[in-house]
Amino acid sequence: MKYLTLLLMIMGVAAAQEFEVASIRPAIDDGNHDSDSDGGFYKIHNLTLKRLIANGWQVDAGTISGGPSWADSDGFDINARIPREPGAAKEDALREMTRNLLIDRFHLAIHREPRQMAGYELRVVKKGSKMEPARPEQDGSESHSNGSHLGATNYTMEALARRLSRNPDVAKLVVDKTGLKGGFNFALDWTPQQLESSRAGTPDEHPSIFGALEEQLGLKLESAKVTIQAIVIDRATKPEFDQ
């Protein structure tokens, strides 16, 4: 990535956010897929190139197309050291560092193009939102439990829309049309569709994800044709793996 930094310096552009050092290896597919930043390191386990692009460009993986066949099948492990002073909000800096790493090590080239697809719009119900606005000092976080719970602190509606897009019961792209700005604190509990019949009538039964959004958060999903700026992979090659 030193060549990218040098080019930007020559052009008089501010130096790009980069990891101090990053190791990339092919992942062992153990069924787990995660990322975490702790102790000055950013660790990624078993994410495909398309998932990495989704994280770096903050889009849903389902809106990414093109590229080699392995871009959606082969997982990668990344262990990267974060600069002590990233120069931007941590999440923003990590996304920029991820983008620059993919461009440099995978020789990634992409472009965007508008596409229309069937999806959902996330909207506020007529009675209004039931969520608690987050305090400025609260850090954004989320927690999960067995695919039927989402506990969120300082969570934006854009982030919720992306999370709902990945829910198997929603199974379509969700775009934020709530008009709500800033972060919110909430807990969302639902019964996954595959468990609804077996748990029907039980005292602790929760509604479907659609019902839970309305009852617990004051939000709803409306079917709509959504226009997105999809990402198309023009070029990508596997990196030289570190030993």
Side-chain angles (χ1 to χ4, degrees):
M1 282 185 279
K2 61 183 180 181
Y3 303 108
L4 175 61
T5 303
L6 179 60
L7 176 61
L8 290 170
M9 291 174 62
I10 293 172
M11 296 173 62
V13 180
Q17 294 278 350
E18 299 177 356
F19 294 114
E20 289 185 354
V21 64
S23 171
I24 303 177
R25 296 183 177 90
I28 296 175
D29 190 1
D30 56 5
N32 295 318
H33 312 272
D34 53 58
S35 61
D36 182 47
S37 58
D38 184 39
F41 284 89
Y42 187 43
K43 298 181 180 180
I44 291 171
H45 173 59
N46 197 22
L47 294 190
T48 64
L49 177 60
K50 286 190 177 180
R51 287 284 299 276
L52 291 169
I53 293 172
N55 289 353
W57 274 265
Q58 208 172 6
V59 299
D60 186 84
T63 67
I64 303 171
S65 62
S69 59
W70 55 263
D72 201 27
S73 60
D74 293 11
F76 300 94
D77 289 344
I78 298 176
N79 192 357
R81 183 181 299 155
I82 305 169
R84 290 186 179 181
E85 297 181 3
K90 185 176 181 181
E91 292 302 318
D92 291 340
L94 285 176
R95 282 191 288 270
E96 183 177 351
M97 293 176 196
T98 299
R99 294 194 296 268
N100 290 329
L101 180 67
L102 299 180
I103 291 169
D104 182 64
R105 300 286 290 275
F106 286 83
H107 302 116
L108 179 68
I110 64 171
H111 74 272
R112 290 180 180 267
E113 60 183 46
R115 290 186 181 177
Q116 194 174 63
M117 59 193 301
Y120 292 104
E121 293 179 344
L122 181 66
R123 294 186 176 274
V124 180
V125 301
K126 289 184 178 180
K127 293 183 178 180
S129 164
K130 299 180 180 181
M131 298 177 293
E132 170 195 350
R135 298 187 302 275
E137 68 272 15
Q138 289 181 305
D139 292 329
S141 65
E142 62 180 62
S143 62
H144 308 278
S145 176
N146 300 323
S148 61
H149 170 82
L150 172 61
T153 302
N154 202 357
Y155 214 61
T156 66
M157 293 300 93
E158 292 87 349
L160 177 58
R162 289 193 299 273
R163 173 60 61 187
L164 291 171
S165 297
R166 299 197 294 271
N167 185 287
D169 290 349
V170 177
K172 291 181 182 179
L173 181 68
V174 178
V175 295
D176 172 35
K177 292 292 184 179
T178 62
L180 300 176
K181 304 300 181 184
F184 296 85
N185 303 332
F186 60 84
L188 181 66
D189 294 282
W190 68 94
T191 299
Q193 188 174 30
Q194 62 181 4
L195 299 179
E196 281 184 342
S197 58
S198 62
R199 293 178 57 181
T202 58
D204 61 345
E205 181 188 7
H206 295 296
S208 69
I209 185 69
F210 297 90
L213 282 167
E214 185 164 351
E215 293 178 14
Q216 299 167 25
L217 305 188
L219 303 175
K220 61 181 178 179
L221 291 174
E222 291 186 349
S223 296
K225 289 287 186 180
V226 296
T227 301
I228 60 165
Q229 289 294 320
I231 286 181
V232 180
I233 302 173
D234 298 311
R235 182 186 69 246
T237 60
K238 287 187 179 180
E240 294 183 4
F241 295 121
D242 301 297
Q243 299 301 319

